[in-house]
Amino acid sequence: QVRLAESGGGSVQTGGSLRLSCAASGNTWRGYCMGWFRRAPGKDREGVAVIYYQTHYTKYADSVKGRFTISRDDSNNTAILEMNNLKPEDTAMYYCAAGGGPTCYASLSPVQYNVWGQGTQVTVSS
């Protein structure tokens, strides 16, 4: 059984930085993409960034471009989200996910992901 475990959330002030990590375990194929998603109170879950297997092609939400960077280590089955210049609107529960087909890099939709972590809270205060 595949499992994803996130770590690295916390509380920072506006302009601060955090680094989220996602570690995958298990031997089942996890799909082509790993992604980070978030859900703020009262809002729908939204895609933040995804990264493709091997080529490491990435896609970002417009709201985080230039501030967040996603990376992955395929040999260690980990995905990282570096978050800089954080804003109060970035406050949310952040989830790591794995899955997707060969074109998963083209979309931030969460519906193509079938393995999810438990989430880690990120809080940004003004």
Side-chain angles (χ1 to χ4, degrees), residues 39-91:
R39 175 173 281 164
K43 295 187 177 181
D44 292 333
R45 181 173 49 185
E46 65 170 343
V48 176
V50 300
I51 185 166
Y52 196 73
Y53 177 66
Q54 290 188 330
T55 63
H56 292 185
Y57 185 84
T58 58
K59 185 176 180 65
Y60 294 91
D62 289 342
S63 60
V64 306
K65 282 181 181 177
R67 300 188 297 123
F68 291 11
T69 302
I70 188 172
S71 60
R72 68 185 287 176
D73 183 337
D74 295 324
S75 61
N76 291 325
N77 297 315
T78 59
I80 303 294
L81 186 68
E82 300 274 2
M83 304 186 296
N84 297 310
N85 191 22
L86 283 161
K87 304 175 180 181
E89 51 264 42
D90 294 318
T91 295

